[in-house]
mmCIF file of all heavy atoms in Angstrom:
data_model
loop_
_atom_site.group_PDB
_atom_site.id
_atom_site.type_symbol
_atom_site.label_atom_id
_atom_site.label_comp_id
_atom_site.label_asym_id
_atom_site.label_seq_id
_atom_site.Cartn_x
_atom_site.Cartn_y
_atom_site.Cartn_z
ATOM 1 N N LYS A 218 -60.589 246.388 39.235
ATOM 2 C CA LYS A 218 -60.053 245.548 38.166
ATOM 3 C C LYS A 218 -58.679 246.081 37.762
ATOM 4 O O LYS A 218 -58.483 247.299 37.598
ATOM 5 C CB LYS A 218 -60.992 245.587 36.956
ATOM 6 C CG LYS A 218 -60.525 244.774 35.775
ATOM 7 C CD LYS A 218 -61.370 245.057 34.532
ATOM 8 C CE LYS A 218 -62.795 244.593 34.677
ATOM 9 N NZ LYS A 218 -63.539 244.719 33.394
ATOM 10 N N LYS A 219 -57.726 245.198 37.579
ATOM 11 C CA LYS A 219 -56.369 245.620 37.213
ATOM 12 C C LYS A 219 -56.405 246.369 35.882
ATOM 13 O O LYS A 219 -56.981 245.904 34.902
ATOM 14 C CB LYS A 219 -55.437 244.417 37.107
ATOM 15 C CG LYS A 219 -53.970 244.794 36.905
ATOM 16 C CD LYS A 219 -53.089 243.574 36.950
ATOM 17 C CE LYS A 219 -51.612 243.923 36.711
ATOM 18 N NZ LYS A 219 -51.090 244.836 37.757
ATOM 19 N N GLY A 220 -55.794 247.534 35.864
ATOM 20 C CA GLY A 220 -55.741 248.334 34.648
ATOM 21 C C GLY A 220 -56.888 249.309 34.486
ATOM 22 O O GLY A 220 -57.010 249.961 33.444
ATOM 23 N N ALA A 221 -57.740 249.452 35.506
ATOM 24 C CA ALA A 221 -58.856 250.396 35.423
ATOM 25 C C ALA A 221 -58.347 251.834 35.391
ATOM 26 O O ALA A 221 -57.203 252.117 35.773
ATOM 27 C CB ALA A 221 -59.797 250.208 36.621
ATOM 28 N N ARG A 222 -59.202 252.719 34.919
ATOM 29 C CA ARG A 222 -58.901 254.148 34.965
ATOM 30 C C ARG A 222 -59.789 254.793 36.023
ATOM 31 O O ARG A 222 -60.938 254.409 36.199
ATOM 32 C CB ARG A 222 -59.141 254.809 33.603
ATOM 33 C CG ARG A 222 -58.159 254.361 32.521
ATOM 34 C CD ARG A 222 -58.296 255.245 31.288
ATOM 35 N NE ARG A 222 -57.322 254.895 30.264
ATOM 36 C CZ ARG A 222 -57.589 254.200 29.174
ATOM 37 N NH1 ARG A 222 -58.820 253.738 28.965
ATOM 38 N NH2 ARG A 222 -56.657 253.937 28.294
ATOM 39 N N PHE A 223 -59.241 255.812 36.690
ATOM 40 C CA PHE A 223 -59.944 256.474 37.787
ATOM 41 C C PHE A 223 -60.099 257.953 37.462
ATOM 42 O O PHE A 223 -59.144 258.621 37.063
ATOM 43 C CB PHE A 223 -59.146 256.301 39.084
ATOM 44 C CG PHE A 223 -59.759 256.956 40.285
ATOM 45 C CD1 PHE A 223 -60.952 256.495 40.818
ATOM 46 C CD2 PHE A 223 -59.129 258.031 40.893
ATOM 47 C CE1 PHE A 223 -61.512 257.092 41.938
ATOM 48 C CE2 PHE A 223 -59.675 258.635 42.016
ATOM 49 C CZ PHE A 223 -60.877 258.163 42.542
ATOM 50 N N VAL A 224 -61.331 258.454 37.605
ATOM 51 C CA VAL A 224 -61.623 259.869 37.361
ATOM 52 C C VAL A 224 -62.190 260.460 38.647
ATOM 53 O O VAL A 224 -63.182 259.955 39.189
ATOM 54 C CB VAL A 224 -62.635 260.048 36.218
ATOM 55 C CG1 VAL A 224 -62.928 261.533 35.986
ATOM 56 C CG2 VAL A 224 -62.128 259.398 34.928
ATOM 57 N N ASN A 225 -61.589 261.542 39.139
ATOM 58 C CA ASN A 225 -62.072 262.186 40.360
ATOM 59 C C ASN A 225 -62.533 263.612 40.076
ATOM 60 O O ASN A 225 -61.738 264.500 39.798
ATOM 61 C CB ASN A 225 -60.994 262.209 41.443
ATOM 62 C CG ASN A 225 -61.551 262.678 42.782
ATOM 63 O OD1 ASN A 225 -62.770 262.759 42.963
ATOM 64 N ND2 ASN A 225 -60.669 262.983 43.712
ATOM 65 N N VAL A 226 -63.860 263.798 40.133
ATOM 66 C CA VAL A 226 -64.446 265.135 40.023
ATOM 67 C C VAL A 226 -65.324 265.418 41.243
ATOM 68 O O VAL A 226 -66.127 266.343 41.238
ATOM 69 C CB VAL A 226 -65.281 265.280 38.735
ATOM 70 C CG1 VAL A 226 -64.386 265.265 37.507
ATOM 71 C CG2 VAL A 226 -66.355 264.185 38.647
ATOM 72 N N GLY A 227 -65.172 264.597 42.308
ATOM 73 C CA GLY A 227 -65.974 264.759 43.513
ATOM 74 C C GLY A 227 -65.306 265.715 44.474
ATOM 75 O O GLY A 227 -65.284 266.921 44.258
ATOM 76 N N ARG A 228 -64.735 265.174 45.521
ATOM 77 C CA ARG A 228 -64.004 265.976 46.500
ATOM 78 C C ARG A 228 -62.635 265.366 46.705
ATOM 79 O O ARG A 228 -62.479 264.154 46.792
ATOM 80 C CB ARG A 228 -64.764 266.027 47.834
ATOM 81 C CG ARG A 228 -65.920 267.031 47.832
ATOM 82 C CD ARG A 228 -65.374 268.453 47.822
ATOM 83 N NE ARG A 228 -66.419 269.465 47.884
ATOM 84 C CZ ARG A 228 -66.899 270.103 46.832
ATOM 85 N NH1 ARG A 228 -66.463 269.802 45.614
ATOM 86 N NH2 ARG A 228 -67.803 271.045 46.974
ATOM 87 N N GLY A 229 -61.606 266.227 46.791
ATOM 88 C CA GLY A 229 -60.246 265.743 46.943
ATOM 89 C C GLY A 229 -60.049 264.901 48.179
ATOM 90 O O GLY A 229 -59.341 263.891 48.169
ATOM 91 N N GLN A 230 -60.714 265.293 49.277
ATOM 92 C CA GLN A 230 -60.526 264.597 50.555
ATOM 93 C C GLN A 230 -61.204 263.232 50.590
ATOM 94 O O GLN A 230 -61.027 262.476 51.536
ATOM 95 C CB GLN A 230 -61.056 265.458 51.706
ATOM 96 C CG GLN A 230 -60.260 266.726 51.923
ATOM 97 C CD GLN A 230 -60.826 267.886 51.116
ATOM 98 O OE1 GLN A 230 -61.528 267.691 50.129
ATOM 99 N NE2 GLN A 230 -60.523 269.110 51.543
#
Side-chain angles (χ1 to χ4, degrees):
K218 179 190 294 187
K219 187 174 178 62
R222 292 191 177 103
F223 179 67
V224 180
N225 189 13
V226 291
R228 281 289 183 262
Q230 293 91 338

